[in-house]
Amino acid sequence: MILATFINVLLLLLLIYFLRRLSKKHMKFSNRVFVGLALGIILGVTLQLIYGATSEEIENTVLWYNIIGTGYVKLLQMIAMPLVFISILSAFTKLKLGANLGKIAGLILFILIGTTAISAGVGIFSATIFNLDATELVQGNAEIERGATLEEKTSEVTSLPEQILSLFPANPFLDLTGARPTSTIAVVIFAAFLGFSYLRILRKDEGTSITIKKAIDAIYSLVMGIVTIVLRLTPYGILAIMARTLATSDFGAIYNLGKFVIASYVALIVVFIMHLLIISFSGLSPITYVKKTSETLLFAFTSRSSAGTLPLNLKTQTDRLGVPEGIANFAGSFGLSIGQNGCAGVYPAMLAIMIAPTVGQNPLEINFILMVIAIVAISSFGVAGVGGGATFAAIIVLSALNLPVALAGVLISVEPLIDMGRTAVNVSGSMISGVATARVTGDLDKEVYTNPHFDELT
């Protein structure tokens, strides 16, 4: 067993060395990311075929692979909250943004919440077309345990007024640690207060405001420097993440719950097409959008972390899509906890339609459908952009509809697979809100957007 683990870790290190050699040969960053993805898939499938997903060799190997894969995601999460804080604060130092702040923030929120409501409708449609019914699903031990855990978490769900109140930062320093599900929004609110304070000083004391702006710009540059360093590790992180994911995937469970997996991805693809239609209606090329966001969406897919993808999200919006920093900062930061199309839109709605028949509720009643969409849109506030955000959103929606939360536990086996697609759609929705808002306000740099030659994200 020790020898097998050693060989498996050695294989990963050799592949990392190979990727490093490609970097030395000046292969494009985007190409190295895709090479890392392909190598991770091959390595993961090979390990599963040799040992099996639940073998002791795989368990020990994954512990070592997590140092690279999970370690990389943790580095991105490390920088996410400081980046949210300084991004929002620096947005206020842009005078043009200050003049249009209300309009910009309103448009971003409208797009995020509006697309989430539409995503809920898409999820409902997909669940109906595929005739998903939770009464057909057979629960195993793992699913039963997950169901019991979800029942316990139901006690954590609060009423809507309490949920809104939880968004406020009673202790902003605690929220900077990401201690609460609503910490991201709380940090945004705290940064916004500091931003408004800066605008007030700007009107009264220009000398002091210049000093503050220089300090904010300096900290922003420092944080983005850290971001650049971490992003250079992307090919290696994706390699380890994909190898771990495929080596541990329960393909038998995926087969048994295949209809739900297929229905989920059909819904997510439809939502992504909706994103492309928004781009088209904005007078921009959806093909260009896909080309320029592919690396960021790929990382979101593999990492399953919207928060971890934030640095790539912001750089893609500003450097490739022509979105001004201020708008990109708001869209990226808001998109971490508000209106996540995949986790807070598609997923809870599909579960509601699936579980409704188990309590005698007709899921096709128009009043029930409208109620699901409304609750999904409202509850999309404060969904954490990290693993488990979709579960939290589902608990809120199912509890509000008086549906049994425990039945969601039957999906534990395929949760990681679906979460990959959900996260990519979440990040795309965030970027779409930035592009569309910049287009409406006339701030989008169309030359940057249409330029076929774009810089590396690092």
Side-chain angles (χ1 to χ4, degrees):
M1 182 183 68
I2 295 177
L3 178 60
T5 302
F6 175 78
I7 292 173
N8 297 339
V9 173
L10 181 61
L11 285 173
L12 178 66
L13 293 176
L14 288 173
L15 293 177
I16 289 175
Y17 176 75
F18 174 70
L19 288 173
R20 179 63 179 166
R21 292 291 299 172
L22 294 180
S23 175
K24 292 290 186 181
K25 293 182 178 179
H26 304 292
M27 175 183 278
K28 288 180 61 177
F29 176 78
S30 57
N31 291 340
R32 283 187 283 120
V33 169
F34 283 105
V35 170
L37 174 67
L39 293 176
I41 292 173
I42 295 171
L43 178 59
V45 171
T46 301
L47 292 177
Q48 167 134 184
L49 291 176
I50 294 175
Y51 303 106
T54 58
S55 66
E56 194 171 349
E57 288 85 358
I58 289 295
E59 289 180 4
N60 290 331
T61 298
V62 165
L63 292 176
W64 289 97
Y65 280 22
N66 282 343
I67 295 176
I68 305 295
T70 305
Y72 173 62
V73 174
K74 284 183 176 295
L75 288 176
L76 285 169
Q77 291 174 336
M78 168 193 75
I79 201 64
M81 203 62 79
L83 185 57
V84 168
F85 175 74
I86 196 64
S87 294
I88 294 298
L89 188 54
S90 67
F92 282 84
T93 65
K94 278 69 176 177
L95 293 177
K96 187 175 182 182
L97 176 62
N100 300 305
L101 181 61
K103 180 179 180 181
I104 288 170
L107 277 171
I108 290 173
L109 290 174
F110 174 78
I111 294 170
L112 287 172
I113 298 172
T115 53
T116 298
I118 296 173
S119 298
V122 172
I124 292 171
F125 180 76
S126 181
T128 303
I129 292 297
F130 282 87
N131 194 29
L132 297 181
D133 189 338
T135 58
E136 298 177 356
L137 301 178
V138 179
Q139 297 190 56
N141 292 332
E143 286 77 11
I144 292 174
E145 292 176 3
R146 172 67 175 271
T149 302
L150 292 180
E151 288 281 21
E152 293 176 3
K153 285 188 175 182
T154 304
S155 60
E156 301 175 10
V157 176
T158 58
S159 64
L160 180 58
E162 291 174 318
Q163 189 178 343
I164 294 174
L165 190 60
S166 70
L167 301 178
F168 290 90
N171 185 345
F173 300 102
L174 174 66
D175 287 316
L176 282 168
T177 67
R180 302 185 301 139
T182 56
S183 284
T184 303
I185 296 300
V187 169
V188 169
I189 293 173
F190 177 59
F193 269 98
L194 291 177
F196 282 118
S197 178
Y198 164 79
L199 294 178
R200 190 166 178 269
I201 293 173
L202 179 64
R203 289 192 295 268
K204 295 185 175 182
D205 188 345
E206 186 175 352
T208 302
S209 69
I210 292 174
T211 302
I212 295 173
K213 184 179 186 303
K214 286 182 178 179
I216 293 172
D217 290 344
I219 296 174
Y220 184 80
S221 297
L222 183 63
V223 171
M224 291 307 296
I226 300 174
V227 168
T228 300
I229 294 171
V230 175
L231 289 184
R232 288 175 179 169
L233 303 174
T234 300
Y236 317 118
I238 285 182
L239 164 63
I241 291 169
M242 286 307 298
R244 177 199 64 196
T245 300
L246 290 176
T248 57
S249 293
D250 187 348
F251 291 118
I254 292 172
Y255 176 78
N256 292 333
L257 296 172
K259 190 163 70 167
F260 179 77
V261 174
I262 294 172
S264 296
Y265 272 92
V266 166
L268 293 172
I269 290 171
V270 171
V271 172
F272 185 67
I273 292 174
M274 172 187 70
H275 292 169
L276 299 183
L277 288 175
I278 292 174
I279 290 291
S280 297
F281 293 151
S282 299
L284 302 169
S285 168
I287 297 176
T288 300
Y289 174 80
V290 172
K291 287 180 179 178
K292 293 191 172 185
T293 61
S294 58
E295 290 169 56
T296 302
L297 297 180
L298 175 62
F299 176 76
F301 184 85
T302 53
S303 69
R304 297 168 50 201
S305 173
S306 298
T309 313
L310 180 62
L312 285 168
N313 182 335
L314 297 183
K315 288 180 73 67
T316 300
Q317 287 192 62
T318 55
D319 297 353
R320 294 185 174 183
L321 300 178
V323 179
E325 281 189 3
I327 295 177
N329 292 342
F330 269 98
S333 300
F334 282 159
L336 287 185
S337 293
I338 296 177
Q340 295 196 339
N341 292 179
C343 289
V346 170
Y347 185 66
M350 290 186 69
L351 286 185
I353 296 302
M354 284 178 60
I355 294 174
T358 66
V359 295
Q361 169 67 51
N362 180 4
L364 298 182
E365 285 185 1
I366 187 64
N367 289 339
F368 179 75
I369 291 175
L370 292 176
M371 186 181 300
V372 170
I373 294 175
I375 291 175
V376 165
I378 294 172
S379 64
S380 67
F381 281 82
V383 176
V386 294
T391 300
F392 184 72
I395 290 173
I396 294 175
V397 172
L398 295 178
S399 298
L401 294 169
N402 293 318
L403 296 176
V405 174
L407 286 179
V410 299
L411 305 173
I412 181 175
S413 301
V414 295
E415 178 76 11
L417 179 63
I418 300 172
D419 196 39
M420 298 168 81
R422 289 194 308 239
T423 306
V425 168
N426 292 343
V427 173
S428 177
S430 171
M431 291 191 288
I432 286 293
S433 68
V435 173
T437 298
R439 187 66 170 155
V440 170
T441 60
D443 295 317
L444 185 75
D445 190 334
K446 198 169 181 181
E447 289 186 7
V448 173
Y449 186 95
T450 57
N451 187 356
H453 306 291
F454 44 87
D455 296 332
E456 301 287 353
L457 289 175
T458 58

